Amino acid sequence: MAFEQYDMAAQQQTQAVPVNKVVRNTFMLLSLTLAFSACTAVLSMMMGLERMNIFVFFIGAFGLMFLVNKFQNSALGLVLAFAFTGFMGLSIGPVVSAYMSLPGGGQTVANALGSTAVIFLALSGYALASKKDFSFLSGFLFAGGIVLMGAVVVGLFTEIPGLQLAISAGFALFACAAILYETSAIVNGGQQNYIAATVSLYLSLYNLFLSLLQLFGVLGDD
């Protein structure tokens, strides 16, 4: 019995090493890609780029995501992760510029950015510290993703009062659930590729920031 307990403890310790490595590499790469994305966002603002066409955005974003997933186990996947986050930064720059040009827009952007950071640190910190399994959120994320994408399509062709506000609130909740789910997968060994994990967490942060930006804009009459 003592030998079996020792063997189980040794196995758990051995499994913890790669998990800790994935956690460390993920958050290190996430920090670097966020910094790079911020640089491309500032660059697009300085260049005065206009808001990206929705179809160009979807083609570029989903195309780069496909390539990242395809090459996530190679050095090329690392390069593509920076390409993807840089592209997303370029797309968000004109949006931030539009808010900055409005009265009180600077405060709106600062509130959205600060709230995004606080929420992410709180949720990911809780998942890391508790090591709780949030895999049960997978069904919610799948159904919620379909509903939100359907609402986005409807919003492109209709002008239903309050729909955009509801979509923003929905995306904010979806992003929070995704952060818990993705961080939990990393901690519990469900996600062992730090490049894929980084891109997933980056997308959650991207959606959370945009959603909060619109929500704060509405609350501030922007």
Side-chain angles (χ1 to χ4, degrees):
M1 179 65 69
F3 176 77
E4 291 178 356
Q5 291 178 347
Y6 174 80
D7 186 55
M8 290 177 62
Q11 289 181 0
Q12 291 176 352
Q13 186 175 6
T14 303
Q15 292 174 354
V17 174
V19 169
N20 291 336
K21 184 178 180 181
V22 173
V23 171
R24 183 176 64 252
N25 289 344
T26 296
F27 283 92
M28 183 180 298
L29 181 58
L30 181 62
S31 300
L32 293 174
T33 52
L34 284 172
F36 181 65
S37 184
C39 290
T40 58
V42 171
L43 179 63
S44 67
M45 294 170 66
M46 293 176 61
M47 295 174 62
L49 298 181
E50 296 183 357
R51 186 173 298 189
M52 196 175 295
N53 179 276
I54 187 66
F55 297 106
V56 174
F57 171 76
F58 278 127
I59 292 172
F62 283 105
L64 286 169
M65 282 181 61
F66 171 79
L67 292 174
V68 170
N69 289 326
K70 183 177 178 61
F71 297 101
Q72 63 182 358
N73 295 313
S74 66
L76 180 58
L78 194 61
V79 175
L80 289 168
F82 278 96
F84 170 74
T85 54
F87 175 82
M88 299 298 280
L90 286 175
S91 72
I92 205 173
V95 178
V96 175
S97 291
Y99 276 92
M100 292 288 287
S101 64
L102 298 173
Q107 186 64 43
T108 298
V109 173
N111 288 339
L113 189 61
S115 298
T116 300
V118 170
I119 292 172
F120 174 74
L121 291 174
L123 293 177
S124 61
Y126 174 73
L128 287 170
S130 68
K131 294 182 172 59
K132 184 177 179 179
D133 184 7
F134 286 96
S135 60
F136 63 88
L137 291 173
S138 60
F140 168 79
L141 292 172
F142 178 77
I146 294 176
V147 171
L148 287 172
M149 291 308 296
V152 169
V153 172
V154 172
L156 290 175
F157 301 100
T158 62
E159 294 184 1
I160 301 176
L163 178 60
Q164 293 301 323
L165 185 62
I167 291 174
S168 296
F171 266 108
L173 291 174
F174 181 88
C176 290
I179 290 170
L180 285 173
Y181 175 81
E182 291 152 3
T183 306
S184 171
I186 298 169
V187 173
N188 294 293
Q191 174 58 273
Q192 298 181 347
N193 186 286
Y194 73 95
I195 295 177
T198 297
V199 171
S200 295
L201 286 173
Y202 175 90
L203 272 176
S204 297
L205 283 167
Y206 181 93
N207 287 325
L208 181 59
F209 173 69
L210 280 183
S211 301
L212 292 177
L213 186 62
Q214 186 166 8
L215 290 172
F216 281 123
V218 171
L219 294 175
D221 277 340
D222 289 346

